[in-house]
Amino acid sequence: MLKHLRSFVKFSQLHGQNTSKMMRTFSSTVAQTDEKESVGFVESKEDFKWVERLLPPSRIPNPPKHASYPTQSGWFPPSETLPDKPYYVSRNRYHLFPVTEIEEDISFEPPNTPEDEVEVVEPQILTTITNIEGNLFELAADLQEAVRPYSEFDPVTSVDEANCVVYVKGKYQHIIEDFLGRNGF
């Protein structure tokens, strides 16, 4: 590197040019007269349309208007007015309800079992509701009433206040989505 700097200084001294206007490239040293006269590239705002279509969108676009709802996929937009509830469940960025089903494996060993038996692994399915604002306990109570006709036992709900999540024990994603849709969320 030092060898290249020495050659650059010698070149500028030989030709009597100011080193501040010299530009060293990988292959040779070129005198730079003006920034706009450099030949490296040409700016064109017209050609940016070809690059722009390759870039991902900055946000998810609003869904198109349809003649009738629900659509073939079962989607429908939220109501124009806010529901009169002490809580609000907003949709995710894809305009869908934030309801998911998760499966957790809970392993336990029954008491007084011999060592040669395998431990029992029982999957537990939880339905989670996120993006909640307001009174989480009211939502949990309303979800219990909505799920009760579809459950043979009393539905179990749990509230995580720190993360604003309500859990319902069981596989009730479609039932809860219908409940949220009927209430105008």
Side-chain angles (χ1 to χ4, degrees):
M1 179 76 175
L2 188 60
K3 184 178 178 182
H4 294 292
L5 286 175
R6 286 184 186 152
S7 66
F8 180 69
V9 171
K10 287 180 185 176
F11 180 79
S12 64
Q13 288 172 351
L14 286 174
H15 295 289
Q17 296 177 355
N18 187 0
T19 56
S20 63
K21 291 194 176 187
M22 296 293 292
M23 183 178 73
R24 175 125 174 107
T25 63
F26 289 108
S27 60
S28 64
T29 304
V30 179
Q32 190 175 20
T33 57
D34 191 13
E35 290 182 21
K36 294 193 178 196
E37 293 180 14
S38 64
V39 183
F41 59 92
V42 177
E43 288 185 25
S44 172
K45 294 183 180 178
E46 295 174 10
D47 294 336
F48 187 71
K49 64 182 177 184
W50 303 108
V51 176
E52 199 171 33
R53 63 182 204 160
L54 299 174
L55 297 174
S58 61
R59 65 178 184 84
I60 305 296
N62 290 330
K65 301 289 183 194
H66 295 280
S68 64
Y69 293 105
T71 60
Q72 293 177 348
S73 64
W75 182 85
F76 52 91
S79 66
E80 298 292 327
T81 60
L82 290 175
D84 188 27
K85 300 279 185 182
Y87 54 85
Y88 182 75
V89 180
S90 61
R91 297 188 183 207
N92 62 14
R93 66 181 185 163
Y94 300 110
H95 311 289
L96 301 173
F97 290 114
V99 180
T100 56
E101 292 175 351
I102 57 173
E103 182 176 324
E104 294 182 355
D105 292 334
I106 299 174
S107 60
F108 63 93
E109 190 173 321
N112 303 326
T113 58
E115 292 181 13
D116 60 340
E117 287 188 19
V118 179
E119 69 179 57
V120 178
V121 177
E122 188 175 315
Q124 179 179 0
I125 297 176
L126 297 173
T127 305
T128 63
I129 302 95
T130 56
N131 295 354
I132 307 168
E133 298 173 11
N135 192 343
L136 300 172
F137 296 99
E138 283 287 326
L139 175 62
D142 289 348
L143 288 175
Q144 277 183 340
E145 294 304 317
V147 169
R148 191 177 310 275
Y150 302 99
S151 176
E152 55 187 75
F153 304 109
D154 282 340
V156 178
T157 60
S158 176
V159 175
D160 182 2
E161 287 184 274
N163 296 321
C164 295
V165 178
V166 174
Y167 298 97
V168 180
K169 186 176 179 180
K171 197 171 184 174
Y172 300 113
Q173 180 175 0
H174 297 296
I175 296 166
I176 293 173
E177 286 177 350
D178 289 340
F179 166 77
L180 293 174
R182 281 188 314 235
N183 284 320
F185 295 108

